[in-house]
Amino acid sequence: MPISEINGIRLSYEVHGTGTPVLLVAGTGAPGRVWRTHQVPALLRAGFQVVTMDNRGIAPTDACEGGFTLDDMAADCAGLIEYLGIGPCAVVGFSLGAIVTQELLLGRPDLVREAVLIATRGRTDPLGAAASRAELELFDSGVKLPPAYEAVTHVMRGFSRRTLDDPRAVRDWLDVFELSPVSLTASRAQLTLDVIPDRLPALRRVRAQCLVIGFSDDLVAPPRFAREVADHIPAATYLEIADCGHYGHLENPEAVNAALIGFLGL
């Protein structure tokens, strides 16, 4: 996994295959390899070159424990695109990664050919703000949650009722998340970015073609917030995928990948 000095930090990334480049930007606490199981193989088969990255705050990229902003994370994406010489390229972001992608669209539109925004939002509601405050309080308390407890939290918050009603699927996902390094408290600086100002008016300035994907049973980023984003971006299309929670790209990768490839292949 290459590590390069980009935007003033040591940034870890991977480049897979050749073809039309696509940058994938992960969500809060997740490493770039979260895309490897489903999205990277599908995009490679479709003829794309796929770039993944570990956002600042996620090892082995610098932790930047002094804190950082959404603008810093968007600048990291811009710096990596320029470093690799792949701009303008397609950018796909999930959750926090989608919010970062929105800032990239606003700040460096010259680097983004089109974008896919998955489980995104353009503002923070009271419940989302309360959840973010609670996670910060947990982080600052110094309490380390057992991996089994974090796994249960991930599965209960991240998947739809359809999956939660399937005992075998639940056991499989509990095993995956118990063994996974993805943590709700992996990066305090990332947690502080879960509360964002109202960016919906600014999104009217985005000129790139965008696909906005919401998941019908998403408790973390309810689909109404994704639809709001699509409604404010002039050239956006909204797609809602049924029977999926927040981790819809893992829960129903076939539907998500078909949407990605159909849109990016235009």
Side-chain angles (χ1 to χ4, degrees), residues 238-259:
Y238 177 70
L239 171 67
E240 188 167 308
I241 299 178
D243 296 322
C244 284
H246 191 59
Y247 297 132
H249 60 311
L250 305 178
E251 191 171 13
N252 190 349
E254 294 82 8
V256 172
N257 293 345

Side-chain angles (χ1 to χ4, degrees), residues 101-124:
T101 301
Q102 288 160 200
E103 296 304 319
L104 180 65
L105 284 162
L106 290 167
R108 290 298 307 272
D110 56 306
L111 295 179
V112 186
R113 188 178 68 248
E114 63 259 325
V116 181
L117 309 168
I118 304 172
T120 192
R121 62 171 69 226
R123 61 185 178 92
T124 300

Side-chain angles (χ1 to χ4, degrees), residues 55-126:
N55 294 321
R56 60 171 64 202
I58 304 299
T61 291
D62 285 346
C64 304
E65 293 177 352
F68 48 85
T69 66
L70 286 172
D71 286 342
D72 292 328
M73 295 185 72
D76 294 341
C77 296
L80 181 59
I81 292 170
E82 291 181 320
Y83 178 80
L84 296 175
I86 59 173
C89 67
V91 181
V92 177
F94 165 73
S95 196
L96 176 61
I99 295 170
V100 170
T101 301
Q102 288 160 200
E103 296 304 319
L104 180 65
L105 284 162
L106 290 167
R108 290 298 307 272
D110 56 306
L111 295 179
V112 186
R113 188 178 68 248
E114 63 259 325
V116 181
L117 309 168
I118 304 172
T120 192
R121 62 171 69 226
R123 61 185 178 92
T124 300
D125 65 315

Side-chain angles (χ1 to χ4, degrees), residues 154-174:
H154 274 295
V155 173
M156 290 182 67
R157 293 180 66 192
F159 291 89
S160 70
R161 176 54 55 191
R162 177 177 61 86
T163 295
L164 297 180
D165 284 342
D166 182 337
R168 181 174 179 179
V170 167
R171 286 194 298 270
D172 288 345
W173 283 116
L174 287 172

